[in-house]
Amino acid sequence: MGMGRHQKSVASGVSARWVFLLCISSFFLGVLLVNRILATSETRDGNGRDSSKQNDQASSLHPLVDCQSKEGDILSRVSHTHDVIKTLDKTISSLEVELATARAARSEGGDGSPSVAKSVADRSKERPKMFFVMGIMTAFSSRKRRDSIRGTWLPKGDGLKRLEIEKGIIMRFVIGHSSSPGGVLDHTIEAEEEQHKDFFRLNHIEGYHELSSKTQIYFSSAVAKWDADFYIKVDDDVHVNLGMLGSTLARHRSKPRVYIGCMKSGPVLAQRGVKYHEPEFWKFGEEGNKYFRHATGQIYAISKDLATYISVNRQLLHKYANEDVSLGSWFIGLDVEHIDDRSLCCGTPMDCEWKGQAGNPCAASFDWSCSGICKSVDRMLEVHQRCGEDEGAIWHTSF
């Protein structure tokens, strides 16, 4: 019996130790499991929050659009945006022209005359709005040509002033200065100006080989002085019917960039010593090539935008030997409409006379063989009598 109690106590002791160890092991195992579970849960929660945040950001960056329900609205907005852009383009273009004109006025001193100091009051005046400005290119030696024009198609004195007020038409003989400012030639022109009040003096030294420069300065100075729809250049040996010319220009009044004249494309003359020789003939390709299309130099008209373009870019525009070629070259690459109007280059009687009798009076007449009316001083009156329009045409024509 004693031995039995000893074996029972040993069995009880072993069992107690094992129970104690099992309890400790279970405790630590439970702690490890709980920590593992908590760590896994936090990771999942973090990933879930990140995923949710990314989804929210994606949703804000790429909102869902119902294309079918909003298609009409999108097209409407696109159309409206297009209209706004067009309006802005027109506004910007208008502002550019006004800015360019202001710059030209400031740089030219208003009338193109040298060393003319403009008062603050003069600078503050707005340029008068005109229909067209006509510059009649003349020279110191051409007094008789000017008088032949004054005695035929050019109004004089009060008539010239009335034309400006009632019709918005400015006409002036355009001339620069001699190589000796203040000399006899300049005094002669000043005396003639005092008598007729029909000159427009340029800051330019006169010379036959300076016609391209003179034309450039004329347009720059004219656009700075007058705000006109058109600016015209005409030689002093050409006959003009002002009523027909005004009607011709009025048909193109709504066009922003027009170049009107009798268009031609003559040969580039490389041979030295001939009239109209082109020293830079090599720029136009192989010998025997022709010029690009341009208006003949006896008479042509350009719109305000083009005259302003010449004024703004005067220092950059290249001048060729021939003035009409130079002008045509300045418009190459621009969005310009070339208008070939043959009523601006009728021949002298019988050509212009027949056309007038047929109901198609010419706007301008000259002889191609002479690049103007041959012996214009002697024949201008004859051409006017046979080819000129009624004296009241300019007053009765509505522009």
Side-chain angles (χ1 to χ4, degrees), residues 83-186:
D83 292 339
V84 171
I85 291 173
K86 288 175 64 177
T87 302
L88 288 174
D89 284 343
K90 291 180 180 179
T91 302
I92 291 171
S93 177
S94 177
L95 290 174
E96 286 176 343
V97 169
E98 292 178 8
L99 178 60
T101 302
R103 288 173 176 170
R106 186 173 63 252
S107 63
E108 285 298 324
D111 61 1
S113 301
S115 303
V116 177
K118 293 295 178 182
S119 66
V120 175
D122 289 337
R123 289 196 298 269
S124 65
K125 292 179 180 178
E126 293 185 359
R127 295 174 304 148
K129 179 64 179 177
M130 296 293 168
F131 177 27
F132 68 75
V133 174
M134 175 186 288
I136 307 168
M137 298 295 170
T138 192
F140 289 111
S141 60
S142 298
R143 172 64 188 261
K144 291 183 178 180
R145 285 189 177 186
R146 293 191 291 274
D147 286 341
S148 71
I149 290 178
R150 292 185 181 115
T152 53
W153 58 267
L154 180 68
K156 295 180 294 183
D158 294 339
L160 200 63
K161 190 65 178 178
R162 179 188 169 197
L163 201 60
E164 296 178 18
I165 297 172
E166 296 184 15
K167 296 295 182 179
I169 295 174
I170 300 287
M171 291 189 290
R172 297 286 190 275
F173 288 105
V174 179
I175 194 169
H177 296 262
S178 67
S179 56
S180 302
V184 175
L185 294 177
D186 290 313

Side-chain angles (χ1 to χ4, degrees), residues 303-318:
S303 57
K304 178 172 66 175
D305 282 8
L306 297 184
T308 304
Y309 172 81
I310 292 174
S311 176
V312 172
N313 297 282
R314 227 180 81 189
Q315 304 301 324
L316 299 176
L317 298 177
H318 184 70

Side-chain angles (χ1 to χ4, degrees), residues 86-353:
K86 288 175 64 177
T87 302
L88 288 174
D89 284 343
K90 291 180 180 179
T91 302
I92 291 171
S93 177
S94 177
L95 290 174
E96 286 176 343
V97 169
E98 292 178 8
L99 178 60
T101 302
R103 288 173 176 170
R106 186 173 63 252
S107 63
E108 285 298 324
D111 61 1
S113 301
S115 303
V116 177
K118 293 295 178 182
S119 66
V120 175
D122 289 337
R123 289 196 298 269
S124 65
K125 292 179 180 178
E126 293 185 359
R127 295 174 304 148
K129 179 64 179 177
M130 296 293 168
F131 177 27
F132 68 75
V133 174
M134 175 186 288
I136 307 168
M137 298 295 170
T138 192
F140 289 111
S141 60
S142 298
R143 172 64 188 261
K144 291 183 178 180
R145 285 189 177 186
R146 293 191 291 274
D147 286 341
S148 71
I149 290 178
R150 292 185 181 115
T152 53
W153 58 267
L154 180 68
K156 295 180 294 183
D158 294 339
L160 200 63
K161 190 65 178 178
R162 179 188 169 197
L163 201 60
E164 296 178 18
I165 297 172
E166 296 184 15
K167 296 295 182 179
I169 295 174
I170 300 287
M171 291 189 290
R172 297 286 190 275
F173 288 105
V174 179
I175 194 169
H177 296 262
S178 67
S179 56
S180 302
V184 175
L185 294 177
D186 290 313
H187 285 309
T188 301
I189 293 297
E190 290 167 4
E192 191 177 343
E193 162 66 6
E194 183 66 25
Q195 178 183 0
H196 295 286
K197 308 294 184 183
D198 57 5
F199 277 96
F200 183 37
R201 303 298 298 276
L202 302 179
N203 183 12
H204 166 75
I205 298 177
E206 288 291 321
Y208 178 76
H209 296 293
E210 299 296 328
L211 293 179
S212 292
S213 178
K214 182 177 180 178
T215 300
Q216 192 181 74
I217 295 172
Y218 157 63
F219 283 121
S220 299
S221 302
V223 80
K225 188 174 180 66
W226 297 287
D227 179 15
D229 294 323
F230 298 97
Y231 298 83
I232 303 169
K233 177 263 178 181
V234 60
D235 290 339
D236 62 3
D237 55 355
V238 173
H239 181 270
V240 178
N241 283 326
L242 295 175
M244 280 303 303
L245 177 61
S247 298
T248 298
L249 297 178
R251 293 198 298 269
H252 308 290
R253 208 168 188 171
S254 62
K255 302 173 182 177
R257 293 174 297 278
V258 289
Y259 175 29
I260 308 169
C262 291
M263 300 296 163
K264 65 176 184 178
S265 180
V268 180
L269 301 179
Q271 183 179 353
R272 293 181 179 274
V274 300
K275 192 175 183 180
Y276 307 127
H277 165 63
E278 178 55 72
E280 296 180 276
F281 62 89
W282 59 273
K283 289 185 177 181
F284 298 92
E286 301 300 325
E287 187 171 342
N289 279 0
K290 291 185 176 183
Y291 286 115
F292 40 78
R293 190 68 62 180
H294 63 280
T296 187
Q298 286 81 0
I299 181 171
Y300 52 76
I302 61 176
S303 57
K304 178 172 66 175
D305 282 8
L306 297 184
T308 304
Y309 172 81
I310 292 174
S311 176
V312 172
N313 297 282
R314 227 180 81 189
Q315 304 301 324
L316 299 176
L317 298 177
H318 184 70
K319 295 179 283 292
Y320 291 99
N322 300 303
E323 164 259 330
D324 53 350
V325 172
S326 294
L327 187 89
S329 72
W330 299 337
F331 302 148
I332 293 294
L334 301 183
D335 185 14
V336 175
E337 181 177 356
H338 290 58
I339 297 175
D340 184 17
D341 193 322
R342 309 314 287 185
S343 73
L344 289 169
C345 54
C346 295
T348 58
M350 304 288 292
D351 181 33
C352 58
E353 187 175 21

